[in-house]
Amino acid sequence: MATKQKTVFLCSECGYSSTKWSGKCPSCGEWNTMEETSFVEEEASPKNKNRAIGGKDNKALPFDDLELPAYLRAETGTGELDRVLGGGIVQGSVVLMAGEPGIGKSTMLLQICNTLGKNAKVLYASGEESTWQLKYRAKRLAVSSPNLFVLTETNIDKILSECTRIAPDYLIVDSIQTVFDDRLSSAPGSVSQVRETALQLINCAKSRGISVILVGHVNKEGGIAGPKVLEHMVDAVLYFEGDRQNAFRIIRAVKNRYGSTGEIGVFEMTDKGLLEVPNPSEMLLSGRPKGVSGNCAVCVMEGSRPIIAEIQALSVPTVFPSPRRTSNGIDYNRACLILAVLERRLGLRFSANDVYLNVIGGLRLDEPGSDLALALALISCLKDKSIGGKVLALGELGLSGECRPVSFIDQRVKEAARLGFSTILLPKGNFDKGNLPRIEGVSIVPVRSIFDALQIFNSKED
Ligand code: TYD
Ligand code: MG
């Protein structure tokens, strides 16, 4: 069979390919991302011919005649993961599970093998651990199933041929950065290798109806190592959040073709592996100090679930020419915006102070509805006055300091009441809409602007 060596340049950001090198990627505009890669091209290779997912007799079908398979989703046995996936793993789908090293990806996947292996065959292909290491870990996690097969292999051809021999229902590849195709000259983990091997695994999933889970490492910037196209190619992308020093882990769907992307799953890493935390609010509020300034509780919606989080702020006079701002769990630009509003509207001198912000438990707050709580935590710190442990604040702040309404009031207020909050600051706009939940022992205070919210420091009780 005729073969020839080909050289192309691939962008490590977007996967754009070109025969010529350029300093700036013509597609995404990033600088110094074009990497040279060469591979052996087999002309008319049967392998390449069969890369189309539908086979060579593929034809368009009438949509109404299509039939769904007998089962479409399988539960993983871990409710928190099923919630993130939108109710379980969809047959023939490809899920990318990404996260920092040591966060718990392999642990999670080995744990779900236990349930998946009850009714289906699972092939776990690992390029990172030996078979005995996997067995040792599985023993610790009490994972055992006659339907679970492990393979320590990184060559894509061998993984796919074992997949043909064993014919599993689930294929787990840990990790995509270790897998390589020997027709490409670049090293495993390079853009071309990740893209090519992922494509072959996706084709395998779609043509044989196998559900594939790929493990992906995250680079220093927090993105999935490898081309951005990997995220476009797969059906769902799940991110593991949280830090290794902390026992809590959050799985968040950033893309899901078969479900919502808002849901999060909360876990705790223990000596028996990852345990589900069905009640995250209680976990996030545990150990909250009493009567201390610089914190405020907020209730955010994570998908369909209200979760109570605590925002902490610390402000100290700066020794630098320009003050430091450090933000953990809150968008940096959002934090700067709130600081500017407080400085301009309330005359608070944050510009002479360093500011450190933190959300307890490694949670990330993306919702503007947490603005008011953030502002109150900052004011409380600067005044060195506690807001009181039973106060919770909701509302988005505008640039003039006005407080704008938030959605899902009913669920948020009920969750706050359930966890013992007795004073809830709520935007006035939500009162105007009516239908506020009435709960005995809970007073709901209308807030038109940040000026109204300051009253809370006068009615202090703890
Ligand atoms: P791991 O799943 O290997 O991480 P990843 O695959 O994302 O790189 O997780 C390893 C970490 O989890 C390691 O620091 C030890 C910890 N761990 C536990 O605390 N308890 C356990 O039962 C297991 C299996 C791991
Ligand atoms: Mg691992």
Side-chain angles (χ1 to χ4, degrees):
M1 196 182 303
T3 59
K4 70 180 178 198
Q5 184 85 17
K6 263 191 101 177
T7 300
V8 291
F9 295 89
L10 286 176
C11 171
S12 58
E13 271 303 306
C14 67
Y16 176 81
S17 87
S18 161
T19 49
K20 279 191 305 195
W21 183 84
S22 53
K24 184 181 177 188
C25 169
S27 173
C28 68
E30 284 292 319
W31 287 90
N32 296 326
T33 55
M34 301 300 284
E35 290 175 9
E36 181 177 352
T37 179
S38 57
F39 59 92
V40 181
E41 191 178 59
E42 291 173 8
E43 281 173 25
S45 137
K47 189 174 180 78
N48 278 345
K49 265 189 178 172
N50 289 337
R51 277 178 51 175
I53 57 172
K56 69 176 190 293
D57 298 324
N58 201 8
K59 288 197 178 67
L61 298 170
F63 188 68
D64 282 353
D65 295 353
L66 296 181
E67 281 184 22
L68 290 175
Y71 79 96
L72 204 58
R73 277 186 197 271
E75 289 185 352
T76 60
T78 305
E80 288 289 300
L81 183 63
D82 289 339
R83 165 199 291 280
V84 180
L85 286 165
I89 300 180
V90 174
Q91 188 186 353
S93 68
V94 182
V95 177
L96 176 65
M97 188 170 276
E100 286 176 21
I103 196 104
K105 303 179 293 293
S106 309
T107 309
M108 175 92 261
L109 293 176
L110 207 53
Q111 277 179 234
I112 64 170
C113 285
N114 214 17
T115 311
L116 295 178
K118 281 197 180 120
N119 309 313
K121 258 192 202 172
V122 186
L123 174 59
Y124 192 112
S126 177
E128 306 203 335
E129 283 158 290
S130 63
T131 37
W132 70 261
Q133 280 174 320
L134 283 169
K135 178 80 187 173
Y136 178 68
R137 189 195 289 241
K139 208 173 154 199
R140 259 165 43 84
L141 298 172
V143 173
S144 93
S145 163
N147 292 328
L148 174 60
F149 295 81
V150 292
L151 170 70
T152 45
E153 183 56 69
T154 50
N155 186 324
I156 186 72
D157 289 341
K158 295 200 179 136
I159 294 175
L160 290 175
S161 75
E162 275 304 277
C163 198
T164 311
R165 190 178 71 84
I166 290 181
D169 301 285
Y170 297 93
L171 169 65
I172 297 172
V173 180
D174 188 359
S175 65
I176 189 68
Q177 276 87 10
T178 59
V179 182
F180 72 96
D181 184 331
D182 53 18
R183 282 167 292 273
L184 303 177
S185 64
S186 50
S190 65
V191 183
S192 48
Q193 288 284 7
V194 169
R195 192 170 77 156
E196 181 58 33
T197 51
L199 193 63
Q200 292 187 38
L201 289 164
I202 292 167
N203 286 347
C204 164
K206 303 288 164 184
S207 57
R208 303 187 207 171
I210 300 174
S211 306
V212 175
I213 305 177
L214 306 176
V215 170
H217 289 301
V218 162
N219 58 22
K220 275 195 231 91
E221 289 82 42
I224 296 165
K228 204 80 186 132
V229 279
L230 192 55
E231 290 188 42
H232 298 299
M233 283 152 72
V234 299
D235 297 310
V237 182
L238 310 185
Y239 261 97
F240 249 101
E241 292 173 6
D243 51 65
R244 275 172 292 170
Q245 289 76 27
N246 190 325
F248 299 112
R249 305 282 190 270
I250 292 167
I251 298 186
R252 187 187 294 274
V254 290
K255 167 182 175 178
N256 193 353
R257 284 187 183 145
Y258 308 113
S260 123
T261 50
E263 302 289 348
I264 61 166
V266 186
F267 298 88
E268 187 179 1
M269 183 60 99
T270 68
D271 56 353
K272 294 191 175 57
L274 284 162
L275 295 188
E276 295 177 65
V277 178
N279 214 327
S281 300
E282 273 162 26
M283 169 204 96
L284 291 167
L285 289 177
S286 63
R288 199 173 171 215
K290 277 191 177 158
V292 177
S293 64
N295 66 64
C296 184
V298 64
C299 187
V300 288
M301 292 302 291
E302 292 288 357
S304 56
R305 183 162 58 169
I307 291 179
I308 297 193
E310 182 192 343
I311 302 178
Q312 292 192 328
L314 185 67
S315 154
V316 284
T318 186
V319 291
F320 302 106
S322 60
R324 268 183 86 166
R325 270 92 179 87
T326 307
S327 170
N328 188 10
I330 293 168
D331 178 58
Y332 178 81
N333 292 325
R334 194 84 203 159
C336 290
L337 186 145
I338 300 297
L339 283 167
V341 170
L342 296 182
E343 179 118 15
R344 179 72 174 78
R345 304 292 165 197
L346 299 181
L348 299 174
R349 293 272 295 144
F350 282 107
S351 54
N353 284 296
D354 290 338
V355 173
Y356 302 90
L357 298 170
N358 185 34
V359 179
I360 297 294
L363 196 69
R364 209 182 63 219
L365 305 183
D366 297 327
E367 221 189 291
S370 45
D371 287 353
L372 185 61
L374 170 60
L376 286 174
L378 282 163
I379 300 168
S380 157
C381 174
L382 206 68
K383 288 180 180 281
D384 200 15
K385 255 183 149 182
S386 161
I387 297 176
K390 302 222 177 305
V391 178
L392 184 135
L394 292 171
E396 176 183 347
L397 284 185
L399 293 187
S400 353
E402 82 278 17
C403 195
R404 296 172 174 270
V406 291
S407 48
F408 302 104
I409 283 299
D410 206 48
Q411 283 120 298
R412 295 189 209 234
V413 170
K414 282 187 181 145
E415 177 74 353
R418 191 178 74 80
L419 283 141
F421 287 90
S422 57
T423 307
I424 300 174
L425 304 187
L426 210 60
K428 176 80 171 53
N430 281 108
F431 282 76
D432 301 340
K433 287 185 184 166
N435 299 332
L436 286 181
R438 288 191 200 289
I439 300 169
E440 209 179 311
V442 176
S443 79
I444 301 181
V445 182
V447 176
R448 263 168 303 165
S449 70
I450 187 69
F451 302 100
D452 287 358
L454 290 179
Q455 301 303 322
I456 199 71
F457 291 101
N458 303 331
S459 62
K460 199 184 89 118
E461 34 95 33
D462 213 321

